[in-house]
Amino acid sequence: MAKKVVKKKNRTKKINGFRIQFMPYSEIKNEGSTERIRKILDIAFTNSILILQGRLKPDEETRLIEDTMAMIGHVKNFKGIELAVISPHENQSPMEKLKYKIATRLSGADLGAITIIGPATVVREIKQDPKKIELLLTK
Amino acid sequence: MAMKSVKGFFKKVFANVFKNKKDIRLGFYGPPNAGKTSLANRICKDFTGEEIGSVSKVPHETRNVQFKEKVEISYKGKSMTFKMIDTPGITTRVDYEEFLKYKVKKKEAKSRAKEATQGIIESIKWLDDMDLVVIVLDSTENPYNQVNITIIGNLVARKIPVLIVANKSDLRKAKLKKIEEAFPEYDVIGISAKYGKNLDDFYDAVFKLSKKIK
């Protein structure tokens, strides 16, 4: 009688189809707003989650939303992005905030912040509160 | 020199006279389904007898910027005329499949999604043209949403006064305190646009804030 070969089931599920990419701010520091946003969206189009050192300016963040909306329907399977920014100055005292502002002004960017941008097809939701950020991925 | 300062004084006086005559452009911003149109409707109905737009449980019901001109709000003996601007909800993702859950047909869902993306772009373009903005948030939802922070950041950069409204305060899940904690630098007014609850505080805050318009 032939012995049945029972394969052991792999308990950890493999998640296919996404990468995490880290980008230092120096990568976009000398670019104009249009080029910065194009670089960010190009990464989102490749199903990668981008962790960017620093943050965009407020008008660049809205421009990112505008350009994202313009690309939905034009790039195959692109349904938008999930976006979150963690900035250390949220819970600082007025004095600390002032110091942070000066440092930001001198370095030309809010380098203490981290921006997370993920394609909506990969990141279902980013749960954000002042202390933590949780990325919920699609199955 | 003296002539120049007299000229400057009259210019300032006339500018203020005409500025006061102009209607205040009051924008309603916020995420989809927070109740922007419900609140704008409530105000317009109370003071003009007409609504500004339709409301629905399906997200992105408002897909174009909607206006109501010459809305004269009278409150505690004071009166101000506003141009009400109700905007489509801003989000970073639009998926037509979300609409299918509300039994919207596929073809209609796709066209709704396309219109929604265009509406969001239109909303953002209008940020420059506001005198005062009411950010309408759903008080049952987590306020720490980057889109809310981004929109408020843009308004601050443009020096446009902001009032935060925590809508749906009648619901058991409503957490007004969480919204106050998320935006400690702003006035947060808990209201129910559906039932017209706490609108007096809302009008009071709008009238106070309109003094800060530059």
Side-chain angles (χ1 to χ4, degrees), chain A residues 55 58-59 61-62 65-66 68-70 72 79-85 97 120 123-125 128-130, chain B residues 90-95 97 116-117 120-121 124-125 127 142 144-147 149-151 153-154 157 185:
Chain A
R55 69 179 300 172
D59 61 310
E61 281 181 17
T62 46
I65 300 172
E66 279 182 278
T68 299
M69 288 302 119
I72 295 174
K79 293 170 178 177
I81 56 168
E82 281 294 324
L83 168 72
V85 179
K97 269 187 187 176
V123 183
R124 180 161 49 91
E125 192 187 345
Q128 198 174 349
D129 74 27
Chain B
I90 299 179
T91 177
T92 52
R93 62 193 294 159
V94 177
D95 183 359
E97 286 176 359
T117 58
I120 292 166
I121 296 171
I124 293 170
K125 295 250 184 284
L127 275 171
N142 180 14
Y144 295 98
N145 175 319
Q146 192 55 40
V147 176
I149 297 162
T150 298
I151 298 303
N154 269 269
E185 291 161 32

Side-chain angles (χ1 to χ4, degrees), chain B residues 3-137:
Chain B
M3 192 65 187
K4 207 174 176 185
S5 56
V6 171
K7 235 178 168 182
F9 170 76
F10 280 110
K11 204 175 169 186
K12 218 173 180 182
V13 168
F14 279 112
N16 278 334
V17 167
F18 288 111
K19 190 180 159 191
N20 289 343
K21 279 194 173 178
K22 219 173 84 179
D23 297 347
I24 295 167
R25 289 164 297 189
L26 176 64
F28 293 84
Y29 275 84
N33 265 24
K36 296 175 291 299
T37 309
S38 297
L39 177 59
N41 274 348
R42 170 69 62 177
I43 301 164
C44 290
K45 197 94 198 268
D46 284 353
F47 294 98
T48 69
E50 290 171 354
E51 293 189 337
I52 197 165
S54 61
V55 292
S56 162
K57 278 184 180 174
V58 186
H60 299 285
E61 177 67 10
T62 306
R63 298 185 295 283
N64 289 103
V65 174
Q66 309 178 120
F67 314 94
K68 184 65 90 182
E69 308 262 2
K70 305 273 171 216
V71 179
E72 195 181 337
I73 299 179
S74 302
Y75 172 75
K76 285 187 180 170
K78 287 178 270 177
S79 175
M80 272 181 161
T81 309
F82 294 89
K83 177 180 181 174
M84 310 277 280
I85 304 157
D86 179 31
T87 66
I90 299 179
T91 177
T92 52
R93 62 193 294 159
V94 177
D95 183 359
Y96 80 90
E97 286 176 359
E98 288 290 316
F99 303 129
L100 302 177
K101 292 176 193 165
Y102 296 89
K103 293 183 179 162
V104 176
K105 285 182 184 162
K106 198 174 175 179
K107 199 180 166 189
E108 201 192 321
K110 281 188 173 179
S111 124
R112 196 180 179 98
K114 196 178 175 189
E115 287 167 12
T117 58
Q118 287 160 354
I120 292 166
I121 296 171
E122 203 188 348
S123 279
I124 293 170
K125 295 250 184 284
W126 267 89
L127 275 171
D128 281 323
D129 299 304
M130 300 293 171
D131 293 319
L132 201 156
V133 166
V134 176
I135 302 282
V136 184
L137 301 179

Side-chain angles (χ1 to χ4, degrees), chain A residues 6-22:
Chain A
V6 182
K7 274 188 183 175
K8 265 192 179 178
K9 276 188 182 175
N10 192 355
R11 283 186 187 174
T12 53
K13 278 186 181 175
K14 197 178 169 190
I15 303 168
N16 287 317
F18 88 92
R19 284 181 301 169
I20 296 177
Q21 196 171 325
F22 178 77

